[in-house]
Amino acid sequence: MRDAEPKAIHLSDYRPPAWLVDKVDLDFSLHPSQTRVTSKLSLRRNPAGALGAPVVLDGDGLTLVRLAIDGKPMAGPSFEATPDRLTLAHPPADAFVLEIETLVDPTANTQLMGLYRTSSNYCTQCEPEGFRRITYYPDRPDVLSVFTTRVEADEAESPVLLGNGNLVESGKVDGTSRHYAVWHDPWPKPSYLFALVGGRLAKISDSFLTRSGREVELGIYVEHGKEARAGYAMDALKRSMRWDEEAFGREYDLDVFNIVAVSDFNMGAMENKGLNVFNDKYVLATPETATDADYSGIEGVIAHEYFHNWTGNRITCRDWFQLCLKEGLTVFRDQEFSSDERSRPVKRIADVRALKAAQFTEDQGPLAHPVRPETYREINNFYTATVYEKGAEVVRMLKTLLGEAGFRAGMDLYFERHDGEAATIEDFVASFADATGRDLSQFALWYAQSGTPVLTVSGAWDAEAGTYRLDVAQEVPPTPGQPTKKPMLIPLALGLVGPDGRDQPLALGNVPVENGVVEVSEARQSFLFTGLDARPVPSLNRGFSAPVNLVSDLTEADRVFLAAHDADPFNRFDAIQRIALEMLKTGARTGSLPATEALVTAARAILADTTLDAAFKAQALALPGEGEVARELAKDVDPDAVFAARKTLRLAMGTALEGAFATTYSAMAATGPFSPDASSAGRRALRNLSLDFLAVTGSAEGIARAKAQFEAADNMTDRITALAVLTQHEVPEREAALQAFYDRFERDALVIDKWFTLQAQIAAPGTLDRIKDLMLHPAFSLGNPNRVRSLVGAFAATNPTQFNRADGAGHEFVTDVVLTLDGKNPQVAARLLASFKTFRQLEPVRRASAERALRKVAETPGLSPDVADIATRALG
Ligand SMILES: [Zn+2]
């Protein structure tokens, strides 16, 4: 464990590396507890680095065995080695080969950073700072080197040996039970992209022919017996490779591309060059075990990691402050891929829902930070929704501002200029500015200013002149370290909808508005639209063109009108959601829900509209979640009151629309064999939404319908949704169904995760005790991140009434788990603690209880830097 009070690192302190590594030859002799790592670094003084600087290499908990310079062993005072650092105060020359031997214990590595074991296989995770847990190295992303890796292991224990790049040699080690493989990666890369895998794994194989005729061998490695579950991932990989050639002109650049699925993994997946390592949750799927959300998650994550080959690997980040350079851009790319493969509006709605749930809440609380932070204590804690999801929104806005052709020209220039380099956000933005001739300096504030801008909009209709004036004011609320902000450049897509439901012409001073986008750049601004026949209803921020909170003077009647007529599907969705949100806010504040007629009418029209696809209807009619209502209320939130308002509204909708939901439930029944495609998934989503509303009263009929679906389902989506409906009702069918589900899937850890999650989400006082019992269940393990997330993580993140119990027991429980987990896996512990990011919006009693729990964590001696950082900032 490192120093518990790590120093803050500032972007402004960046200095180029003093030493470069031209090439590195690694030799791993794998052993469960004593893996020997020999590293030969061809070091060269960086002409751009500090003059006469010593060689200082990073380490983390390392044991040095041997050190040699140009083949001569070194001793004593010529170097200084601590577990965390290797220093050569007086390097012998400006270029030399440093040979380092270390011993590491993969079995004892419960942090899952560096080299570790999972299901008795060997595997590595090096981003961001895991390589220094393997050997001493300048472990920073701007040191790019050519890696050759020899891996040796017992052949019976690890018949499969994988590394980055292409396989150049393999064979047996004479006179032993061991064998080896040598992998060479010709593309210079930083150490965080290093990977190796050794173990007993089954392979599914395929191939891909690139546009220029390179035959690429594709492999997905899984546990034996699970080969059949990797087919969808392989299909998604091939589609991703084709799409990147078509949409971005990017081809794959090695002879092999391998993916390995492992069951113990801190994150979703990792884009190591030519050897992606995946959480098996994002590889394995069959209709029986995976939901539609799992299928789309696999498609998205496979694409994301593959796309990193160009945005992240070929062009990498200069330092970790630039994390959004690779992540925001690559999330944007995977979102675009899924939009092309599926329904674009539905994908956009799902992405915005996720953005608001995770990122807008982050922006509103003590953990708010810019898309590109300027300071950090623990970089592990910046793999956030702001860096990823808001980072993607910033790239999307760039495309909206520059148009399709301008955006592509900027991307092409970025690839041309920076291929093989470690780049910055400034490099990225400059590529677009130079390709299009546009000044993007104000736009770049999106990377520097944290907080969600609030756009306040009102309209004035002048019948005589045929004009409509839109007055827009923008404000970015204060966030930690940023009390005042400058006005941002906000692309506002809009339409003016006429009384007939059609868009009226959009012109400013008789000049047509290009692409329907106006640019808001000042604190206060007016736009005068001309040439109108009738008072329009404005449809604002179409397609969610900017990640802002929009406050408008639209009435409920305007929203009902937009929900029925808006040409922009996103805003049709948003209109109905906004009606529901306003009602829920009032309901939560006053304890009584306003009249529901308008919402019911709008919902009925959407259900009956045959021009809309089922997936869209399911999104539009799913009521805003408790988290979204809480975020909108922003202060003195009583989660029980939010829950009660939402329950009342669900009852009102379910009752008023019972007939329509019953018709929909029957109409959306499957007509053929299961298929995970978007259209079939949409039908299931709408049918399952209907099932939920039909059971909302807890009537015997509704429960019986859910039970029947649970028992007859031929796929996981239908089965788990029916089970979810049953678990939210206090009925005898609940426990019986939970037991039946467990019995059916007890051998399948990923499915049992769903079983944990459903129980963690029950909004009832008994849930906390249920979770404590489940933690003792043989299927649960605190050592496996997926288990922790599915039970304790789901409780903290998605069960607001029980996590925020008024007696404080929920808060106390979660922080106790954080403290226990911190000694094993600080990264997962810190993420769990980050569930407290919204505690300031709670009403005083719950806020005090959360603060008490956080304080107890902060005052615990020996915390990891990860957990200490979150606790300190949350209390801030
Ligand atoms: Zn990524």
Side-chain angles (χ1 to χ4, degrees):
M1 195 138 295
R2 280 168 288 167
D3 185 358
E5 291 280 323
K7 280 206 308 269
I9 299 171
H10 303 283
L11 171 59
S12 54
D13 289 344
Y14 173 83
R15 297 292 176 273
W19 288 82
L20 302 173
V21 184
D22 289 328
K23 65 173 189 138
V24 48
D25 290 288
L26 291 163
D27 191 316
F28 284 79
S29 181
L30 295 178
H31 181 277
S33 59
Q34 290 197 305
T35 289
R36 196 168 291 271
V37 184
T38 310
S39 159
K40 277 187 197 166
L41 310 181
S42 298
L43 286 165
R44 176 168 55 88
R45 198 180 275 286
N46 184 4
L51 213 63
V55 173
V56 182
L57 304 180
D58 303 301
D60 181 357
L62 288 176
T63 309
L64 179 69
V65 179
R66 190 172 61 86
L67 201 65
I69 283 181
D70 292 330
K72 292 190 205 76
M74 288 180 78
S78 56
F79 66 88
E80 193 195 332
T82 70
D84 300 341
R85 186 161 302 140
L86 175 65
T87 310
L88 275 67
H90 305 288
D94 286 346
F96 61 97
V97 175
L98 182 65
E99 191 174 338
I100 305 163
E101 192 177 312
T102 50
L103 263 185
V104 295
D105 183 347
T107 304
N109 184 353
T110 60
Q111 291 187 36
L112 315 185
M113 282 293 277
L115 176 68
Y116 66 95
R117 302 199 88 196
T118 163
S119 314
S120 78
N121 297 316
Y122 297 89
C123 150
T124 57
Q125 168 60 32
C126 293
E127 185 181 356
E129 295 176 340
F131 194 70
R132 63 185 65 183
R133 292 169 53 78
I134 295 172
T135 183
Y136 294 102
Y137 197 80
D139 192 15
R140 45 188 285 170
D142 57 351
V143 175
L144 278 65
S145 186
V146 174
F147 281 67
T148 305
T149 308
R150 181 182 179 278
V151 193
E152 186 199 299
D154 185 89
E155 192 168 6
E157 189 196 44
S158 296
V160 173
L161 299 173
L162 303 172
N164 303 103
N166 299 316
L167 179 67
V168 290
E169 196 190 327
S170 62
K172 293 190 183 299
V173 180
D174 288 345
T176 70
S177 61
R178 296 173 76 79
H179 70 146
Y180 72 94
V182 180
W183 292 80
H184 175 72
D185 179 3
W187 301 104
K189 65 167 177 289
S191 48
Y192 82 87
L193 290 171
F194 169 83
L196 76 75
V197 167
R200 304 183 67 83
L201 295 158
K203 180 187 186 184
I204 72 158
S205 302
D206 209 323
S207 68
F208 181 84
L209 190 64
T210 68
R211 201 165 53 168
S212 67
R214 180 197 285 268
E215 175 95 23
V216 184
E217 211 185 291
L218 307 177
I220 298 184
Y221 291 84
V222 297
E223 278 175 31
H224 282 281
K226 293 189 174 166
E227 295 91 321
R229 299 188 183 195
Y232 187 77
M234 182 62 91
D235 175 58
L237 174 60
K238 286 159 66 181
R239 285 186 282 123
S240 307
M241 295 177 88
R242 183 66 66 217
W243 185 89
D244 210 17
E245 293 184 346
E246 287 164 2
F248 284 86
R250 297 295 117 195
E251 276 189 45
Y252 188 62
D253 54 5
L254 290 167
D255 302 333
V256 290
F257 186 80
N258 284 323
I259 289 174
V260 180
V262 302
S263 51
D264 301 275
F265 204 68
N266 281 348
M267 320 261 292
M270 177 62 209
E271 70 263 22
N272 317 298
K273 184 77 184 188
L275 179 57
N276 287 188
V277 176
F278 269 62
N279 187 326
D280 57 3
K281 175 178 164 56
Y282 292 110
V283 171
L284 304 175
T286 63
E288 170 77 358
T289 59
T291 62
D292 291 321
D294 292 330
Y295 276 100
S296 73
I298 289 168
E299 184 180 77
V301 178
I302 290 270
H304 178 95
E305 306 307 332
Y306 174 73
F307 296 156
H308 267 315
N309 191 55
W310 274 95
T311 49
N313 301 4
R314 285 285 286 260
I315 304 180
T316 194
C317 303
R318 188 192 71 176
D319 51 71
W320 290 120
F321 294 102
Q322 323 292 332
L323 183 57
C324 63
L325 179 71
K326 74 178 181 80
E327 294 306 343
L329 176 55
T330 306
V331 170
F332 169 75
R333 274 151 56 68
D334 84 56
Q335 290 177 346
E336 284 299 287
F337 166 72
S338 293
S339 301
D340 285 346
E341 299 287 303
R342 294 161 178 259
S343 152
R344 184 165 281 271
V346 171
K347 172 68 179 155
R348 186 66 188 139
I349 289 168
D351 288 342
V352 172
R353 272 210 139 116
L355 175 82
K356 288 185 171 179
Q359 201 281 320
F360 278 28
T361 48
E362 194 162 84
D363 257 353
Q364 214 174 44
L367 301 183
H369 58 273
V371 171
R372 180 176 67 181
E374 276 165 12
T375 176
Y376 63 76
R377 283 175 194 276
E378 178 49 69
I379 187 59
N380 284 332
N381 290 336
F382 282 85
Y383 287 75
T384 59
T386 297
V387 168
Y388 279 64
E389 272 71 34
K390 188 174 177 182
E393 293 298 317
V394 177
V395 178
R396 185 174 298 282
M397 285 188 286
L398 202 51
K399 187 176 180 186
T400 304
L401 287 167
L402 302 178
E404 188 94 36
F407 180 74
R408 179 64 192 265
M411 283 303 303
D412 287 349
L413 185 58
Y414 174 66
F415 289 127
E416 191 188 310
R417 271 186 187 168
H418 299 291
D419 185 13
E421 289 182 5
T424 61
I425 285 300
E426 282 75 10
D427 295 332
F428 180 69
V429 175
S431 299
F432 291 90
D434 295 346
T436 61
R438 237 197 111 142
D439 179 354
L440 293 170
S441 43
Q442 188 186 13
F443 179 78
L445 285 174
W446 280 103
Y447 286 105
Q449 289 193 158
S450 55
T452 310
V454 179
L455 220 53
T456 308
V457 181
S458 60
W461 164 239
D462 184 335
E464 224 161 281
T467 60
Y468 184 77
R469 198 186 70 234
L470 201 64
D471 297 320
V472 184
Q474 63 158 304
E475 197 193 346
V476 190
T479 43
Q482 296 190 342
T484 57
K485 313 282 169 87
K486 293 178 191 155
M488 315 271 271
L489 178 60
I490 298 170
L492 186 67
L494 79 162
L496 298 176
V497 187
D500 60 354
R502 290 166 191 248
D503 277 7
Q504 303 208 46
L506 201 64
L508 287 169
N510 299 321
V511 179
V513 175
E514 223 177 308
N515 304 323
V517 179
V518 299
E519 295 181 9
V520 179
S521 58
E522 294 159 31
R524 284 173 187 284
Q525 222 168 331
S526 291
F527 298 90
L528 189 67
F529 296 99
T530 51
L532 301 165
D533 305 333
R535 179 190 179 274
V537 176
S539 164
L540 300 163
N541 207 23
R542 280 184 160 175
F544 208 67
S545 61
V548 297
N549 275 313
L550 189 75
V551 180
S552 77
D553 59 352
L554 290 187
T555 62
E556 189 175 82
D558 290 336
R559 294 203 170 99
V560 170
F561 176 77
L562 290 176
H565 300 293
D566 201 320
D568 180 65
F570 182 86
N571 272 5
R572 273 189 91 168
F573 155 82
D574 194 59
I576 193 164
Q577 291 289 313
R578 181 50 58 181
I579 298 169
L581 255 175
E582 293 303 328
M583 292 172 54
L584 290 169
K585 279 158 70 180
T586 307
R589 269 200 210 106
T590 64
S592 86
L593 204 67
T596 58
E597 281 77 17
L599 182 65
V600 167
T601 306
R604 196 188 300 282
I606 290 211
L607 268 178
D609 190 333
T610 52
T611 67
L612 293 171
D613 68 27
F616 175 85
K617 292 183 186 183
Q619 283 284 5
L621 300 179
L623 292 177
E626 292 156 70
E628 190 166 1
V629 181
R631 183 179 60 74
E632 286 266 339
L633 289 168
K635 57 179 185 185
D636 291 332
V637 175
D638 174 356
D640 290 335
V642 173
F643 180 83
R646 203 168 171 277
K647 189 174 177 187
T648 310
L649 183 56
R650 277 162 50 74
L651 272 169
M653 298 251 306
T655 312
L657 295 167
E658 194 180 356
F661 280 127
T663 309
T664 306
Y665 184 76
S666 309
M668 290 296 122
T671 50
F674 176 88
S675 161
D677 70 88
S679 156
S680 310
R683 292 174 65 89
R684 279 187 288 276
L686 184 57
R687 187 166 192 258
N688 285 322
L689 177 104
S690 306
L691 178 79
D692 184 32
F693 272 114
L694 288 167
V696 75
T697 59
S699 70
E701 197 193 345
I703 297 298
R705 192 184 284 105
K707 181 168 179 281
Q709 177 174 319
F710 172 75
E711 285 165 356
D714 72 346
N715 65 81
M716 181 51 79
T717 303
D718 289 344
R719 195 184 307 279
I720 198 82
T721 320
L723 182 59
V725 169
L726 293 174
T727 54
Q728 290 301 336
H729 293 273
E730 185 109 38
V731 290
E733 287 85 345
R734 169 161 88 188
E735 298 308 320
L738 280 168
Q739 188 60 47
F741 187 89
Y742 179 77
D743 293 344
R744 188 180 183 109
F745 295 108
E746 62 176 326
R747 284 169 204 287
D748 198 321
L750 290 175
V751 180
I752 295 305
D753 284 347
K754 300 178 193 304
W755 181 77
F756 282 136
T757 296
L758 281 188
Q759 297 180 77
Q761 288 172 329
I762 297 173
T767 296
L768 187 54
D769 287 336
R770 185 191 281 266
I771 294 174
K772 288 177 179 169
D773 288 346
L774 285 171
M775 285 183 73
L776 305 172
H777 193 284
F780 184 82
S781 159
L782 212 50
N784 179 289
N786 284 355
R787 304 299 93 78
V788 174
R789 282 188 284 256
S790 65
L791 187 62
V792 191
F795 173 69
T798 59
N799 193 343
T801 62
Q802 301 313 300
F803 173 50
N804 299 304
R805 278 163 56 138
D807 65 1
H811 295 146
E812 201 180 327
F813 164 71
V814 172
T815 48
D816 284 350
V817 174
V818 167
L819 288 173
T820 310
L821 195 55
D822 194 29
K824 284 188 211 302
N825 190 329
Q827 260 190 52
V828 174
R831 296 228 168 99
L832 183 57
L833 189 64
S835 335
F836 282 86
K837 68 185 174 190
T838 54
F839 86 95
R840 294 248 171 88
Q841 63 182 215
L842 294 166
E843 53 77 29
V845 172
R846 289 172 171 86
R847 199 187 323 146
S849 129
E851 195 166 343
R852 233 176 4 255
L854 280 168
R855 232 170 255 298
K856 183 178 152 196
V857 173
E859 285 160 8
T860 304
L863 287 180
S864 69
D866 308 62
V867 165
D869 172 53
I870 296 283
T872 311
R873 283 195 286 141
L875 288 164

